[in-house]
Amino acid sequence: MDLIAENDWNKKFQFTLTWRNDRIILSQKQRADVCSFTPLLDGFHIMDRLRISGGNRLQGAVTISGAKNAALPQIAAALLSPHPLELTNLPAVTDVENMLGVVTLHGAVVNRAAHGTIIDTSAIVSKETSYDTVRRMRATVLVLAPLLARFGHARVSLPGGCAIGARPVDMHIKALATLGADVAIENGLIVASAPGGLKGARVVLSSPSVGATETAMMAACAAKGETEILNAAREPEVADLAACLGAMGARIEGAGTHRILIEGSTTWQPAKHHGISDRIEAGTYAVAAAITGGQLELIHARLENLASVVQALEAMGVSVWPSDRGLVVSRDGPLKGADITTEPYPGFPTDLQAQFMALACCAEGASLIRETVFENRFMHVPELMRLGANIKLQGTTALVRGGAPLRGAQVMATDLRASVSLVLAALVSEGETIINRVYHLDRGYEQLDRKLRLCGADIERLTS
Ligand code: EPZ
C-alpha cells in the first residue's frame, strides 16, 4: 500500500507499507526499510503471545475485577443525562477503553480520577457511530437508545456478526419502535428518530436478550409514562445497570426478574455507581483452581451470582465455600465428567462454556456440553484438540471424552472466552504452549497473566 506523508514545510514523501512475517515495513523507493514495527491494537501489540508451561497447581488468592458486561452499558447510560456520572470498579480491559472512546467521540469528557472514572456529558452531540467503531465492539450498539432518548435521533451502524454468531439486534430495534421511535435500516445504519419524544409502553421481548433489555431500560427512562418490560433478561449485569440508572434519578422496579417496571420522564442528577464484580472472570479462575488441582480464594466473587456454576463445579468433584472476602474453590480428588447446557441467567452462563470444556477435557469419563445461546460458540474446540483433547461436535453439542493427556502446542486465540479456555488447558498441558493473538484476552480479562503468575502459574507474556 502507498502512503503520502507531508512534513511541516509541505514537502510530500511517498512511502510503501508492506506486511512481512508479522511486521509492518515502511519503506521509501530510494531507500531500504525506513522502519519496521509491530502493529498495535488497543494499546497492546497485536502479535503479543502467551507462553505457558503446564503442571503447576495454583494456590493463593485472586482479586476479581469489576464486571466488563456491567461496565459497558453503564458507560453508554452516561449519555442519557447532562450531569456527570462517576463509575468505580471499572475493569482495566480494552472493551471498557473502547466504550469510553465511543462516548468521547460524542463529546463526553472522561476524567480518570484515582477513585473512579467521571464521565461528563454536559456538552455531547449525537454523531453517527460508524461501522468501524461498532464492528470492533458490538456492545457499541448500546449507545443507540441513550442518544435517541437524549436528542430525539441517532444513527448507529448495524454491528454485523462476530466469531460466535450472527448476533442480530432486531429485538433492540423492535423495543425502540414499541416505545414510539421510527427506526429504519439505511445503508447498514440503524437510523432512529423520535421527534416528539419516546412514550412508555409494554415491551415484550421474544427471548430474554441482555442487550435488548438494557436498550429498552435506557430508552424507557426517558420515555413519557410507564414502561413494562416482559421476558426481560435476569443477568446480574442488568440489575446493576438498573442500580446505576437509579442513582442517576431513574425509578425502576423488578430489574433481575423477567418483569421490569420503569416510571419514565426521569429527572436526571449527578451520580456515582460502584459496579459489581465480574462473575465470568470469577468462574474462569474457579476453573483454573479446579483444572490444576489447586485452591484459590476469589476475592469479591459472589455465590449468589454463580449458583449454576458452583453446582456444575461440585458435580465435577470440586469443593466451593464462601469466605469473608468472597469464595474459595478447591480440588484435591479426581475430576468427574458432567453434562452442561448453557441458558440465560440463572442457567449456566454461555460465557463459561469454553472454560468448562477445558475442565471436562481433564475429567474422568465423558461430558456432554450443549450451547443453546449462540450458534457458533465452539471456536475453541479445534484448538483444544491441537493440545490433544478428545472432542466430538454434533451441531451445538460437544461430546468431551476426558482423560486424554494434554500436550503443549502453538494455538490461536479466536474470541475472548475461547482464548481463555486455551490458557486453562495450557496450565495442565505437558510442556510449553504458545497462545497467539492474546489481544482477545485483553478485551475482557484484566492482567490475566499477572494474576495467574501470582498464584503459581508458569506463564509469561511475549511482547513482540
Ligand atoms: C451479552 O451479549 C454479553 N455481552 C455476552 O458476553 C453474553 O454472552 C450474552 O449477553 C449472553 O449472556 C455484553 O453484555 C456486552 P443477548 P448480548 O442479546 O447482549 C440473540 C462476553 O464474552 N439476539 O442476550 O449481545 C443473540 O444472537 C460476551 O463477555 C437476537 O436474536 O447477548 C443470541 O443468540 C459474549 N436478537 C441471544 O439472542 C437481538 O436483538 C442472546 O443474545 C439480540 C439478541
Side-chain angles (χ1 to χ4, degrees):
M1 181 168 83
D2 285 343
L3 279 180
I4 305 288
E6 191 173 298
N7 68 10
D8 296 346
W9 300 279
N10 301 329
K11 180 168 171 40
K12 291 189 187 334
F13 294 88
Q14 178 157 359
F15 292 89
T16 303
L17 211 59
T18 47
W19 178 288
R20 198 183 310 146
N21 306 326
D22 293 345
R23 296 186 74 76
I24 290 183
I25 313 294
L26 202 58
S27 54
Q28 277 183 315
K29 289 202 176 3
Q30 61 277 30
R31 285 175 49 192
D33 294 352
V34 170
C35 74
S36 68
F37 55 97
T38 307
L40 280 172
L41 178 97
D42 296 321
F44 291 92
H45 284 93
I46 194 170
M47 305 315 281
D48 277 11
R49 297 172 298 162
L50 287 179
R51 183 203 55 73
I52 299 171
S53 290
N56 295 4
R57 283 173 173 238
L58 300 191
Q59 306 278 353
V62 179
T63 298
I64 302 302
S65 304
K68 163 182 85 84
N69 291 348
L72 299 180
Q74 290 168 24
I75 294 168
L79 297 171
L80 282 163
S81 161
H83 300 293
L85 171 63
E86 180 177 356
L87 295 173
T88 51
N89 205 27
L90 288 183
V93 296
T94 53
D95 271 11
V96 167
E97 293 309 309
N98 284 336
M99 189 60 100
L100 290 171
V102 171
V103 299
T104 305
L105 275 177
H106 289 283
V109 176
V110 175
N111 291 307
R112 310 297 181 89
H115 42 79
T117 297
I118 300 166
I119 306 172
D120 178 348
T121 60
S122 51
I124 63 166
V125 293
S126 178
K127 293 168 63 176
E128 180 176 304
T129 308
S130 72
Y131 175 57
D132 187 49
T133 304
V134 180
R135 73 176 177 77
R136 281 155 58 98
M137 185 178 63
R138 306 178 32 73
T140 309
V141 76
L142 292 170
V143 303
L144 176 64
L147 291 173
L148 173 65
R150 178 123 178 231
F151 295 102
H153 58 86
R155 295 162 62 90
V156 176
S157 171
L158 272 170
C162 77
I164 63 177
R167 303 188 71 185
V169 290
D170 55 312
M171 287 193 261
H172 298 241
I173 291 170
K174 186 161 176 272
L176 294 177
T178 305
L179 292 165
D182 295 325
V183 191
I185 305 297
E186 294 170 11
N187 307 323
L189 278 176
I190 306 168
V191 180
S193 66
L198 297 166
K199 295 175 188 60
R202 171 177 294 140
V203 175
V204 183
L205 297 178
S206 52
S207 68
S209 153
V210 173
T213 302
E214 293 165 343
T215 284
M217 283 168 66
M218 291 189 281
C221 287
K224 294 184 191 71
E226 187 171 85
T227 293
E228 179 186 32
I229 304 172
L230 295 178
N231 201 18
R234 297 164 60 184
E235 273 71 0
E237 292 76 26
V238 171
D240 199 41
L241 174 62
C244 178
L245 290 166
M248 294 166 67
R251 293 172 302 284
I252 302 176
E253 285 175 28
T257 72
H258 272 320
R259 180 173 180 261
I260 301 176
L261 287 179
I262 297 162
E263 208 167 287
S265 307
T266 301
T267 303
W268 301 107
Q269 61 194 19
K272 286 186 181 183
H273 179 70
H274 186 85
I276 57 172
S277 65
D278 194 318
R279 62 191 169 99
I280 304 302
E281 185 192 19
T284 302
Y285 285 105
V287 170
I291 204 169
T292 60
Q295 177 167 308
L296 290 178
E297 181 179 20
L298 310 178
I299 299 168
H300 304 320
R302 293 163 59 179
L303 187 57
E304 64 270 24
N305 290 347
L306 286 162
S308 59
V309 177
V310 169
Q311 193 176 37
L313 286 168
E314 289 172 340
M316 297 180 81
V318 183
S319 306
V320 184
W321 63 89
S323 72
D324 295 345
R325 301 191 292 180
L327 282 179
V328 177
V329 180
S330 178
R331 197 254 309 173
D332 52 17
L335 269 175
K336 295 172 285 183
D339 295 346
I340 286 167
T341 299
T342 66
E343 293 168 323
Y345 192 88
F348 187 90
T350 175
D351 293 348
L352 281 170
Q353 178 258 105
Q355 297 90 318
F356 268 73
M357 191 177 289
L359 188 59
C361 292
C362 305
E364 291 172 359
S367 302
L368 207 58
I369 296 179
R370 286 183 61 230
E371 171 58 57
T372 70
V373 178
F374 290 107
E375 66 266 31
N376 184 37
R377 202 163 198 180
F378 286 141
M379 305 283 279
H380 42 288
V381 170
E383 297 305 310
L384 287 172
M385 291 171 75
R386 283 178 51 71
L387 298 175
N390 182 343
I391 305 170
K392 291 281 178 296
L393 284 184
Q394 185 136 29
T396 56
T397 299
L399 174 62
V400 183
R401 290 189 177 86
L406 299 183
R407 289 190 177 77
Q410 280 246 28
V411 288
M412 179 74 72
T414 51
D415 65 82
L416 173 55
R417 308 305 176 181
S419 312
V420 84
S421 85
L422 300 179
V423 172
L424 296 167
L427 291 174
V428 289
S429 296
E430 189 188 319
E432 186 173 90
T433 299
I434 300 288
I435 300 174
N436 295 294
R437 297 189 181 176
V438 293
Y439 60 84
H440 289 294
L441 286 167
D442 298 324
R443 296 192 53 168
Y445 288 95
E446 185 174 340
Q447 298 190 359
L448 175 86
D449 50 315
R450 180 175 175 275
K451 289 186 179 182
L452 286 172
R453 198 166 38 249
L454 289 175
C455 300
D458 180 351
I459 181 171
E460 177 191 8
R461 186 181 191 114
L462 306 176
T463 299
S464 45

